[in-house]
Amino acid sequence: MSKTTPETQKPAKKKKSITRRLIKWTIILAILVFIALTILARIGGNNPVIKDALEQILTDSTGYQARITTLNQMTFFPYISIDVEGISLYDSPAPQPTEESPDETSAEETSDGSPEIAPPPPTPTIPEDAQPIATIGGLKVATAFFQWAQSGSVLHFLEVKDIQANPGVLHDKPVTADYIKLEETEQSAKEDKGYLMATGQVGTTPFD
C-alpha cells in the first residue's frame, strides 16, 4: 500500500487553493457586472446634461449647430434608446476673433512659472432671429446594448417625423418627409435586416 506523505498532499492542496480562488474571483466579477448593469439601467432620463450632450453629438456629426426642444427620455440598458422632439439645425456662426494687444503672448505663465492652459472656446451662440436650415419634428431610435457593444451599428428601431431640410443640407433640392421608419420584426431579425418605410418628397418628386 502506498502511504500518503506530506509531499503528495501539497499538490492536492495547491489545486484546491487555485480552484477556490477561481470560484471566488468569478463570484466577485459576477457581482461587479451585476452592479454595473444595474447602474446602466438606472442612469439616463431627460436631464439637461444629457440633452446638452446630445446637442453636441448632433453638432459634431452634422457640422451644423443643433438644438433640441424636448428630450423625453434616454436609456442605456438593456436598450440604448433616444426619444426627442423638435430638432433644429442652424448654420454655425463664424468664430469671433479675439482682441490681443501686440505685447501679449498667447501662452501666459502662472505664478509658479508653469504655462497657463487656455480655457476651451465658448459654444457659439445662435442669434434669436436665426432661421433653421433643417428641422425634425421627432426622433426615436433604439438598439440593444450588447449588440451595439459588439458591432456598434445595429438598429432595432428608428423613427423620424416631420423632416424639413433646405437645399444643400441633404440634397441639392429641398427635402421634406412625413416620416422615415426602420423597424425590426421577428421575420426581419431572422433575416438579419429591417424594414424601411418612408414618405415625402425631394423637390417636387415624391417618394414612398
Side-chain angles (χ1 to χ4, degrees):
M1 292 180 63
S2 61
K3 295 183 180 181
T4 303
T5 63
E7 287 76 10
T8 59
Q9 290 179 349
K10 287 181 180 180
K13 290 183 179 180
K14 189 174 182 180
K15 288 181 180 179
K16 288 182 180 179
S17 177
I18 293 175
T19 302
R20 288 175 181 173
R21 289 182 182 179
L22 288 175
I23 294 174
K24 177 182 177 181
W25 282 108
T26 301
I27 294 174
I28 292 174
L29 288 175
I31 293 173
L32 291 176
V33 170
F34 174 77
I35 293 173
L37 294 180
T38 302
I39 293 173
L40 281 175
R42 293 187 176 184
I43 63 176
N46 57 356
N47 65 73
V49 175
I50 297 177
K51 180 173 172 286
D52 292 344
L54 290 176
E55 288 180 342
Q56 188 59 50
I57 291 172
L58 286 172
T59 296
D60 293 341
S61 60
T62 63
Y64 301 107
Q65 287 296 315
R67 293 294 180 267
I68 296 174
T69 303
T70 305
L71 169 61
N72 293 323
Q73 183 74 12
M74 181 173 184
T75 62
F76 294 92
F77 186 83
Y79 283 91
I80 301 174
S81 66
I82 300 171
D83 181 1
V84 300
E85 296 178 7
I87 300 175
S88 300
L89 299 181
Y90 298 85
D91 272 323
S92 299
Q96 300 296 324
T98 58
E99 295 182 0
E100 292 186 359
S101 61
D103 297 333
E104 290 180 342
T105 58
S106 57
E108 299 181 356
E109 291 186 353
T110 59
S111 57
D112 60 358
S114 60
E116 183 179 2
I117 300 175
T123 302
T125 56
I126 299 174
E128 293 183 0
D129 58 347
Q131 296 297 318
I133 60 173
T135 59
I136 297 174
L139 169 67
K140 295 180 180 179
V141 60
T143 181
F145 175 83
F146 287 114
Q147 290 189 354
W148 174 83
Q150 291 175 358
S151 63
S153 60
V154 178
L155 283 179
H156 290 275
F157 181 82
L158 171 67
E159 184 179 68
V160 190
K161 295 181 177 180
D162 301 328
I163 302 170
Q164 304 282 339
N166 290 353
V169 179
L170 298 175
H171 195 272
D172 56 1
K173 297 179 181 179
V175 176
T176 61
D178 296 329
Y179 70 89
I180 298 175
K181 188 174 183 180
L182 174 67
E183 187 171 11
E184 183 183 69
T185 63
E186 184 176 350
Q187 180 63 30
S188 66
K190 293 178 181 179
E191 299 172 356
D192 196 22
K193 64 180 181 181
Y195 292 110
L196 178 65
M197 298 169 285
T199 178
Q201 64 182 37
V202 177
T204 58
T205 304
F207 64 84
D208 53 19

